[in-house]
Structure formats: structure tokens, C-alpha cells
Amino acid sequence: MVLLGTLLAWYLCFLIVFILPLDVSTTIYKQCVLDNSKHHPTDVTQTRNSNQTGEDFSVYSTDREPKACDEPWSYIPDGVLPVFWRVVYWTSQFLTWLLLPFMQSYARSGAFSRAGKAKTALIENALYYGTYLLIFISLLIYLATHPKWHLTWSELQTIGITAANTWGLFLLVLLLGYGLVEIPRSYWLSSSQGYLLAKAYFKAAKMATEKAEAEEHLANVMEEVASVHGSVRYNHNLRKCVDTILTKCPTEYQEEFGRDVESSGEQNVLPTNRSLVQLHKKVISSVHRHRQAQVQWSILLDQALHLEDVAKSQSSPVHRFTHSFPSAPHHSWIRRFIYTPAVEWYWECVFRQSFYKLLAVLLCLLSAAVVWSECTFFSTHPVLSLFAVFVQKAEEQYNYICIEMVCFVSILFLCVCIYSTVFRIRVFNYYHLVPHHQTDAYSLQFSGMLFCRLTPPLCLNFLGLIHMDSAISHQDRIQTSYTSIMGSMRLLSFISDGFYIYYPMLILLLCFATFYSLGSRCLNLLGFHQYITDDDLTSDLVDEGRELIRRERRKRQKTQTGENRRWAWREQYGVKGIPGRTKAGYTEIKDNSQSSPVTHSKKSAVTFTGRDMETEEQQRGLLQDNSSDEDSPNRRSTGGRYLSMSPSQTRIFDDV
């Protein structure tokens, strides 16, 4: 259900990127048909220019006839788009205001039954939305009793839509101001190998701290679970709830609980049902946080090691990329035939930097166009918005392909700036989108809620940028199907003529604040460490992260050396059949004993007595215990016994 609700919310939002340009081209075609129907083609000397108001016309020579309106290839018949937008809009509003908040509370609840989870979700949402309902009822009573206001149902619906879009526009401008600067800058900085490596070290130092905190928090919660597990006996009515909590614990803790329950002594204070619900909620959260930290640490470690390999390959005279620790994906057919080590070297060491810089320049130009258009889209005489100029020039030639491409690229860039900021936001441990399937249900649904609330004002803002929203541009022309279902915002003139026009200009200030990293510096002062190049604390964390990565590299090299040694012994004994006696070699020989014909014939020829079988199993356990001590030289065996191989020299290789 979580995936279905989130997928539906994301799908409806990204669908607008492809449908809104078709709505614009269809509206321009209808406007052309309407203009030609008002004039007879034999005595027409003037045609209406769509980028002017009703009093302005573009004058053509008398020997030219108005150009015929060609139907666009993507023309959508009348009545289809209004129904489509109505379904999309109201479905997204139902998701963002009712269904997803309920599912959020349901997913975070620690109750042990569906009815209990639903009850918790209803109570939490009733407290939150009861405030909004009280404000709405108060305003409704005021409008009903005021003599100057006589509102119909459609006007009340328009007021509600405008209020939701106003809230969304407030958040949209904040996210857009950050994304317009941060996205081009991130690509420009990513072209520097030193910057990426230093930032990876910084993240490693922070992630190591978060990982240690997650492990400590999980250990504390597991202590509470152990206490409850020992106090609630199997014949108690709360034992079923305790068993449910135990199933959510990691496997190693479950085994420890099973051993400790036999030796538990006095009973502790019996918990209540409410305390078990809270403990269940804490267990779910702590286990997920611990698993999330482990996966993030592994991913970050791989990235840092890859960046170090890139730095080494840049100074290598051989134009072939070498991985320190090749993994399974490196042996796929794509890397064998297409993305070969030579191709990878040229991409990582030569072309990637230039490509990222070129992409950063293009994104910077688009950001400058958006900032300029947001600050000037209210001006229709002259037309200053660059997006409006492009659309109107294409409209004069009835080039619908160009119109749709301009709209598609513009909306796509705005969506990338806004939605990428949503992906980067982190609100402590409550909301954080983590890759590789590590995002919890609450964060997934919260992202869907944000997308549904940001998309309608984003569409209205874009239509204002290209002067297709008459409530802002005050032009006498056919409205798009999208603005028709939104209602006329002229009902609230202080919003349509004030807030919707002047508030987007705040983007300019937000872009300056993001360029100088004012937000990151403020968070750094509050104790939330951010990567700032000219900060002493950042330098200390980079050095700490470098040492952590170096330690992990040594650990992996040691593990890989042990695996290579065992592989060499396996190849030696498996191919040549030369007997020998080493810990790793014997272990690997035992693994391959089933596939060796010599082993098969020897097994069929030799019969073991009960004592011989016992001796064989003991020596096998000793050898396996000893082979696992390669990575831990100071490790002692269980019970303090010395693992000797001397008594087993006669029949240890009888099965080879």
C-alpha cells in the first residue's frame, strides 16, 4: 500500500511534464481558429497578435492573407483535457491531504493490530486537521453572515483551490531558489576530482558517527526488549505482543534472547500494553535506522574507494582503469565488450570533467533565464519573460513542435530543480530519502505529499511565465484547460495581483543566499556539520574520513589477500593433486571434494568407523576455526584450548 500510494503520487506529478505542453499547443490552435473566425479572409488587413492585449495588433501588408491554422499533431479533442485535469488534480489533492497522511500515521504506529494502527492514525490526523477545519468553518460562517459576500459553491471551491496553491507557491519558491543555484554548481564542482574525494572523506566521517550512534541506540533498545522478554512469561496474555516485537529484532539479538531466557532469574516489573506499543515503535525505528546506516556506510565506502582509484589512474602511464576491489558487476558483458577498462579510463580521467563543466554551463544559462523570467513575467508591454518570448515567436509561425519542446524543457528543468531539492532535504531522522531501497515508509509518503502539493502551483507559475494565465497577464485570450478547472483567481484580487506576481521575485534573494552558502553556514553554527571548503571543522572531518577510508582499505586488502591465498591452494590441490597441509588449503579442498573424481573414488573405497568419523569432524572444526583467525590474530579459541593439529596427522587427507 505504501508503494502504491507513493507511486501514484509521483506518477501524477511527473505526468504533467508531458501533458501540459500539449494543453498549451492545443490552446494556441484554438486561439488561432477563433481569431480567423472573427475576420473574413478577403478584407482582413489585420490579424490579432497573440502576445498583445485586445487593443494591440500586428499589421501585415494588404496583399498577404492570414495564415491558415494547421492542426497540431498532438491536438486533443474538446472535453478530454478538462476531464483529465480534473481527475489528476482532485486525485492528487485526495492523496496529499487525506490518504497519505493517514498512511503515514498507520505505518509509524506501534500497535499490534490493524484496528489499533487505524485508531492511532485517525487520532493523530484528527488533531492535525481539526485545526484547519475549525479555521475553515469560521471563515465560512463569516462569509455567510457578511452582507457584501454572496458566494456560490463554485466560488467557494475556487477559494479553497487558491488557498492550497498559495501554500504550495510559498514552499515552491523556497525550493526553486535553492535548486536553481545548487544544481549547476554541483555539476561544476563534480568535475573536480579533488573536490569529490574530499567531500567523500567528509561524508565518511559524518556517516561513521551516525553509524556508531545507530548501533548504540539499537543496543539500548535491545536491552529494553531483553528486560521485557525476561519479565513476560509464555503463559501471560501479553506474550503474543512480546513475540511480535522479537520478530522485528535482528537475528543475532533473537538468538541471544533465546539463550538468556533460560538463565533469567527474578522477574522484572510487568509492562503495560501502552508501553509495549511504544517499545514496538522504537524497535521498528531503531532497526531500520541501523540497517540504513550500515547500507549507507557500505555504499559510501565503495564510492570513496572508486574515487581513490580514479585519482591513481589519472597518474598512471597505462590508459586502462584498474579497480582495487573488483566486484561482481565488473564482470558483466557490458564491461567486457562495451565499457572496457580503456573506455572507463578515458571517461573517468578525460571526458567526464569536460562533460560536467559543459552541462553545468547549460544549466546555469537555464537558471539565469528562469530567474529573469520570474522577476519580469508580469510585464506584457514589453514582453520581458524569455519563455514567453520563445513561445510567442513560435506561435507566430504556428510551429507547434517548437512550442511543445520549449514548454517541455522549461517544465522539466523546473521540476528537476524543485524535486531534486525535495530529495536532498533531511529533517533529522523523520524525513530522509535514502537510495538503494533504504527509505522508510514515512519518508516515501511524505515525498509524495510534497510532490502533490507543489505540482499545481508549479503549473500555474509556468503558465504565468509564458503569459498563458489571464489572471496574471490580464490578456483577452482563450484559457488553457488547466487554468479553467482552477477557477478565476480574480475573485481574490490581492492574491492574483499581489502575492502571485511579487512573491516569486524572492527567488533572486534566495539564489544569492544559496550562492554564498548562507543556509549551510547557519546549520554549521547550530551544530549540523555541512561541507564548507573554507571551514576548519570541515578540514578536520576530511582528515578523519581519510583515515577511516584508509583503515577500511587495509581491512579489505587483508580479506582479499586471504581469499587469494585460499584460491591458490584450491587451484593447486584441485588441478595438480599435490598433498599439503595448510589451514586455508584444507578448507578449500573440503569445499571442492564433491566435484573431484579422485575424492569420489576414494570415498567409495574407504569405510569409516564411528571413532574415525568423530576424529574427522573434530579436525575439520579445528581447521575451520583456525582459518577464520586470519583476520583476527589475537583471537582466542573457546575455552582457552590451543587448537593443535598434531594428533590428526594420519588420516586427515584420506578423503582427498
Side-chain angles (χ1 to χ4, degrees):
M1 293 301 296
V2 170
L3 294 178
L4 179 62
T6 306
L7 177 63
L8 182 59
W10 287 21
Y11 175 74
L12 294 178
C13 296
F14 287 105
L15 189 65
I16 295 177
V17 179
F18 303 95
I19 303 300
L20 193 59
L22 306 183
D23 193 1
V24 173
S25 62
T26 302
T27 303
I28 291 176
Y29 170 72
K30 292 179 181 178
Q31 183 67 41
C32 175
V33 173
L34 179 63
D35 291 342
N36 285 346
S37 65
K38 291 182 179 179
H39 303 83
H40 195 274
T42 57
D43 57 358
V44 168
T45 58
Q46 296 177 336
T47 57
R48 185 183 302 250
N49 190 1
S50 60
N51 63 336
Q52 304 291 335
T53 59
E55 292 77 16
D56 296 325
F57 298 90
S58 59
V59 180
Y60 297 91
S61 58
T62 56
D63 58 345
R64 288 184 58 186
E65 293 184 356
K67 188 175 181 179
C69 299
D70 297 329
E71 185 175 294
W73 69 276
S74 58
Y75 176 75
I76 300 177
D78 296 340
V80 175
L81 279 177
V83 175
F84 172 80
W85 288 125
R86 206 169 277 115
V87 171
V88 170
Y89 178 78
W90 290 112
T91 302
S92 63
Q93 294 304 301
F94 173 74
L95 288 173
T96 187
W97 294 107
L98 294 177
L99 183 60
L100 290 180
F102 176 82
M103 294 177 64
Q104 273 186 310
S105 301
Y106 186 92
R108 291 189 63 188
S109 175
F112 298 98
S113 62
R114 296 180 180 178
K117 291 178 179 291
K119 180 181 178 181
T120 303
L122 288 175
I123 293 175
E124 291 182 0
N125 286 274
L127 295 175
Y128 180 73
Y129 289 104
T131 306
Y132 289 98
L133 184 62
L134 182 62
I135 295 175
F136 177 75
I137 293 176
S138 301
L139 291 176
L140 191 62
I141 294 175
Y142 172 76
L143 294 175
T145 56
H146 201 279
K148 295 182 180 180
W149 292 88
H150 299 284
L151 300 178
T152 61
W153 169 250
S154 60
E155 292 174 341
L156 287 175
Q157 180 179 338
T158 302
I159 291 176
I161 293 174
T162 304
N165 291 338
T166 302
W167 185 93
L169 182 64
F170 176 80
L171 184 60
L172 180 139
V173 171
L174 297 178
L175 300 178
L176 186 60
Y178 176 83
L180 288 174
V181 175
E182 189 60 30
I183 291 179
R185 181 168 61 183
S186 63
Y187 278 101
W188 180 268
L189 294 176
S190 297
S191 63
S192 173
Q193 192 65 32
Y195 171 83
L196 290 178
L197 191 55
K199 193 170 183 180
Y201 290 151
F202 176 82
K203 290 181 178 179
K206 288 186 61 178
M207 183 54 61
T209 304
E210 294 182 9
K211 180 170 169 286
E213 292 177 353
E215 292 174 351
E216 182 180 358
H217 182 69
L218 178 63
N220 294 334
V221 174
M222 291 300 104
E223 288 182 2
E224 298 182 22
V225 175
S227 176
V228 171
H229 177 59
S231 60
V232 179
R233 293 302 179 183
Y234 291 99
N235 55 356
H236 199 274
N237 56 355
L238 294 178
R239 186 63 205 182
K240 185 177 181 180
C241 300
V242 176
D243 292 338
T244 303
I245 295 176
L246 292 178
T247 58
K248 306 296 178 63
C249 298
T251 307
E252 58 271 17
Y253 284 100
Q254 294 183 18
E255 296 175 354
E256 184 178 352
F257 295 154
R259 291 191 300 266
D260 293 344
V261 70
E262 301 296 336
S263 60
S264 60
E266 299 180 358
Q267 288 188 355
N268 299 322
V269 180
L270 288 176
T272 61
N273 191 16
R274 177 185 290 268
S275 63
L276 288 179
V277 168
Q278 296 297 326
L279 180 61
H280 188 204
K281 185 176 180 180
K282 290 169 63 177
V283 167
I284 295 174
S285 176
S286 60
V287 170
H288 179 80
R289 182 184 172 188
H290 178 260
R291 182 172 64 250
Q292 190 180 83
Q294 295 287 344
V295 174
Q296 283 184 285
W297 171 254
S298 177
I299 296 171
L300 184 58
L301 181 61
D302 292 337
Q303 293 175 353
L305 294 177
H306 175 74
L307 291 174
E308 289 182 346
D309 293 340
V310 173
K312 293 179 182 178
S313 299
Q314 285 180 339
S315 58
S316 175
V318 182
H319 294 176
R320 293 178 63 85
F321 194 89
T322 304
H323 292 271
S324 300
F325 308 101
S327 57
H330 293 96
H331 303 287
S332 61
W333 65 272
I334 296 179
R335 288 189 174 272
R336 287 202 305 266
F337 301 105
I338 300 177
Y339 197 59
T340 61
V343 174
E344 187 175 5
W345 186 90
Y346 279 102
W347 165 250
E348 293 288 350
C349 303
V350 180
F351 297 117
R352 190 181 65 85
Q353 290 82 359
S354 302
F355 176 76
Y356 274 31
K357 287 183 178 180
L358 179 61
L359 183 59
V361 171
L362 295 177
L363 293 175
C364 187
L365 294 177
L366 283 174
S367 297
V370 171
V371 173
W372 172 262
S373 301
E374 290 285 357
C375 296
T376 59
F377 73 92
F378 62 89
S379 175
T380 56
H381 308 288
V383 178
L384 299 178
S385 175
L386 296 179
F387 298 106
V389 171
F390 295 151
V391 171
Q392 290 176 5
K393 290 298 181 182
E395 183 180 355
E396 292 177 0
Q397 304 297 325
Y398 297 104
N399 190 345
Y400 298 108
I401 298 293
C402 182
I403 292 173
E404 293 171 359
M405 289 305 300
V406 169
C407 294
F408 174 76
V409 173
S410 304
I411 299 175
L412 181 61
F413 180 68
L414 292 175
C415 289
V416 168
C417 292
I418 295 170
Y419 295 159
S420 64
T421 308
V422 173
F423 277 91
R424 296 185 183 188
I425 292 176
R426 178 172 183 177
V427 184
F428 301 104
N429 290 320
Y430 294 100
Y431 171 73
H432 187 204
L433 292 178
V434 184
H436 296 272
H437 312 282
Q438 295 303 312
T439 306
D440 58 353
Y442 184 88
S443 299
L444 281 175
Q445 293 164 343
F446 190 76
S447 66
M449 290 170 55
L450 284 180
F451 285 173
C452 290
R453 296 182 187 183
L454 291 171
T455 302
L458 171 63
C459 296
L460 290 178
N461 180 258
F462 171 75
L463 292 175
L465 293 180
I466 62 175
H467 293 176
M468 296 290 289
D469 188 359
S470 61
I472 298 176
S473 61
H474 303 285
Q475 291 182 345
D476 184 16
R477 62 177 302 151
I478 297 178
Q479 295 298 297
T480 61
S481 300
Y482 186 82
T483 54
S484 64
I485 70 165
M486 291 293 167
S488 177
M489 288 191 300
R490 295 176 183 176
L491 184 65
L492 301 174
S493 58
F494 67 93
I495 292 181
S496 61
D497 298 336
F499 184 80
Y500 272 42
I501 291 179
Y502 297 106
Y503 179 70
M505 296 181 185
L506 186 63
I507 287 181
L508 187 61
L509 297 178
L510 294 173
C511 287
F512 278 111
T514 306
F515 181 78
Y516 291 104
S517 303
L518 296 183
S520 299
R521 296 181 188 274
C522 292
L523 290 175
N524 207 25
L525 291 176
L526 295 175
F528 302 99
H529 304 308
Q530 305 294 315
Y531 185 77
I532 303 175
T533 55
D534 56 351
D535 185 67
D536 295 336
L537 182 60
T538 300
S539 302
D540 296 339
L541 290 176
V542 169
D543 295 337
E544 181 183 349
R546 184 183 294 107
E547 184 60 32
L548 289 172
I549 297 300
R550 187 178 304 159
R551 188 183 308 165
E552 292 293 334
R553 177 180 285 273
R554 287 197 301 265
K555 187 183 299 184
R556 286 196 178 189
Q557 287 176 346
K558 189 175 181 180
T559 304
Q560 189 178 34
T561 302
E563 291 178 354
N564 292 337
R565 188 184 301 116
R566 287 190 291 270
W567 180 83
W569 278 105
R570 181 186 60 190
E571 290 294 319
Q572 181 178 358
Y573 286 109
V575 177
K576 299 180 180 180
I578 301 177
R581 189 170 48 179
T582 61
K583 297 177 289 185
Y586 179 74
T587 305
E588 294 300 322
I589 291 170
K590 295 299 295 180
D591 293 338
N592 292 337
S593 60
Q594 297 296 333
S595 60
S596 175
V598 180
T599 303
H600 181 73
S601 61
K602 193 69 178 178
K603 279 188 176 181
S604 61
V606 178
T607 57
F608 292 89
T609 62
R611 184 173 180 180
D612 292 334
M613 289 290 292
E614 182 179 358
T615 305
E616 178 72 10
E617 292 297 326
Q618 290 177 357
Q619 300 304 326
R620 183 186 305 175
L622 292 178
L623 288 169
Q624 290 178 349
D625 289 341
N626 236 359
S627 65
S628 64
D629 290 341
E630 290 180 350
D631 296 334
S632 303
N634 297 326
R635 183 178 174 185
R636 299 181 59 186
S637 61
T638 305
R641 294 178 299 169
Y642 179 71
L643 303 182
S644 175
M645 297 173 55
S646 56
S648 59
Q649 295 179 355
T650 55
R651 303 182 62 85
I652 187 171
F653 289 106
D654 282 351
D655 62 333
V656 178

